[in-house]
Amino acid sequence: MPELITYHQCPLCGSASVYPALSARDHTVSGEQFEIWHCDDCSGRFTQRVPVAAAIGAYYQSSAYVSHSDTEKGLVNRLYHLVRNYTLTTKRKLVQEVTGMPTGALLDVGAGTGAFSNTMLMAGWQVTALEPDETARQNARKKYGLEPSPPDQLFSLAPNQFDAITLWHVLEHVHDLHEYLLQFHRILKPGGRLLIAVPNYTSYDAKVYGEFWAAYDVPRHLYHFSPKSMQMLGNAKGFDLKGTEPMWFDSFYVSMLSEQYSNGSGNIFGALWNGLISNLKALGDRKRCSSVIYVFAKK
């Protein structure tokens, strides 16, 4: 059995006001059940009794894990690839908008197979890419000629060198959460921007699917952020929240996976309906979207 982490305090804010909220299954690799606990102070959630960093790798070993394998097997993954070119362009424009810079120096943390890093390189940015998974790094080399570094290289980077740091669905995977955020603050230039995209368990689709909500993705997702917990975490590490952006496609992608997990049918019409309702409910408040991009500025 791998060594497991048991939390007695919230790993996001340190509060002891924590309790079990629900139990979810690992539908991707192991089939194991994991408890998800809730913090009353920051409203964040976290997966209890997760494997330590040295043992978590086994839970990523699946050909269905799209961010590492780039697989197009199955309807959901084919649809993911269909919209990816659009979302890559949207992300590039967002980085340029929030930094006010057409080009600059970017750190892409959790680069996966390198699609976003390559998009920014093609736009003239200097890009440093970090990725923990060796298979994903190999795929980045094959597809784009990129050379992502292992994530421990983060701690040898010089201070005040990046205009922007991006984490697209990465922070929820990071064991050394607080150390990473402190390091981001150190290596960002004054006024630099930190863009963090994470699932939002307070969204409508999360409520509909409950324990079957695919974005819980236990045990790979160590934390389950709410807008309040993300803002508190950023503030505590020297960042100001400048704005939030919705990730409209995520509600559909997550709902399609959630349908498969909940009844095995992959009811695409039910998924599209729930994704649509989730987005409609988020129109007036982007922080209710299935996934949210938080744009932080270094204080």
Side-chain angles (χ1 to χ4, degrees):
M1 282 289 292
E3 186 182 345
L4 304 177
I5 301 169
T6 300
Y7 297 104
H8 301 288
Q9 296 176 307
C10 174
L12 305 181
C13 74
S15 169
S17 298
V18 295
Y19 55 87
L22 71 155
S23 176
R25 182 180 297 277
D26 172 13
H27 294 275
T28 306
V29 176
S30 70
E32 297 170 30
Q33 290 282 137
F34 291 86
E35 282 191 348
I36 295 171
W37 284 42
H38 182 88
C39 174
D40 263 346
D41 283 349
C42 73
S43 78
R45 291 182 173 179
F46 54 94
T47 308
Q48 188 67 281
R49 293 182 60 76
V50 292
V52 296
I56 196 85
Y59 291 89
Y60 286 89
Q61 301 310 309
S62 168
S63 60
Y65 203 70
V66 67
S67 64
H68 287 175
S69 66
D70 232 13
T71 182
E72 294 190 31
K73 292 179 182 176
L75 175 64
V76 175
N77 287 329
R78 287 200 299 275
L79 291 171
Y80 170 87
H81 281 274
L82 272 176
V83 302
R84 188 170 70 171
N85 285 343
Y86 172 80
T87 58
L88 287 171
T89 300
T90 302
K91 290 172 181 175
R92 171 183 59 77
K93 289 179 177 177
L94 178 62
V95 171
Q96 291 171 322
E97 177 188 331
V98 300
T99 59
M101 303 172 67
T103 61
L106 172 83
L107 175 65
D108 187 24
V109 180
T113 56
F116 178 71
S117 290
N118 184 64
T119 297
M120 299 306 288
L121 274 170
M122 294 298 100
W125 283 66
Q126 293 175 289
V127 177
T128 301
L130 303 178
E131 169 55 46
D133 186 76
E134 175 57 30
T135 300
R137 294 200 299 267
Q138 289 174 2
N139 285 327
R141 291 185 200 107
K142 289 176 192 171
K143 289 178 72 74
Y144 304 112
L146 294 171
E147 290 292 339
S149 299
D152 57 4
Q153 293 298 306
L154 173 68
F155 296 95
S156 61
L157 294 169
N160 303 315
Q161 66 166 302
F162 293 105
D163 299 294
I165 299 174
T166 53
L167 296 91
W168 307 115
H169 289 295
V170 171
L171 195 68
E172 62 269 33
H173 297 263
V174 174
H175 278 77
D176 299 326
L177 176 69
H178 297 279
E179 293 85 349
Y180 267 56
L181 289 167
L182 289 170
Q183 182 68 354
F184 295 155
H185 190 273
R186 193 180 77 86
I187 62 179
L188 267 178
K189 294 178 182 176
R193 294 296 190 263
L194 172 64
L195 291 86
I196 300 174
V198 288
N200 174 20
Y201 85 83
T202 71
S203 63
Y204 173 79
D205 50 292
K207 288 180 170 60
V208 166
Y209 290 109
E211 67 183 277
F212 298 105
W213 188 53
Y216 278 128
D217 199 23
V218 293
R220 290 159 295 278
H221 288 190
L222 310 176
Y223 324 103
H224 314 283
F225 297 101
S226 63
K228 178 183 176 181
S229 63
M230 275 299 305
Q231 183 161 3
M232 285 178 65
L233 191 61
N235 289 346
K237 295 297 183 286
F239 295 98
D240 278 326
L241 183 64
K242 291 297 185 183
T244 55
E245 294 291 331
M247 301 187 81
W248 298 119
F249 288 109
D250 279 34
S251 63
F252 299 110
Y253 178 69
V254 169
S255 292
M256 282 189 281
L257 283 176
S258 302
E259 285 287 340
Q260 291 179 7
Y261 297 166
S262 61
N263 56 43
S265 70
N267 177 3
I268 191 168
F269 297 107
L272 292 174
W273 176 254
N274 286 329
L276 176 63
I277 297 299
S278 187
N279 283 345
L280 289 173
K281 287 181 177 291
L283 280 176
D285 181 3
R286 292 172 170 186
K287 290 179 183 177
R288 297 183 69 187
C289 202
S290 182
S291 291
V292 179
I293 303 170
Y294 298 87
V295 180
F296 291 102
K298 177 176 176 175
K299 290 182 186 176

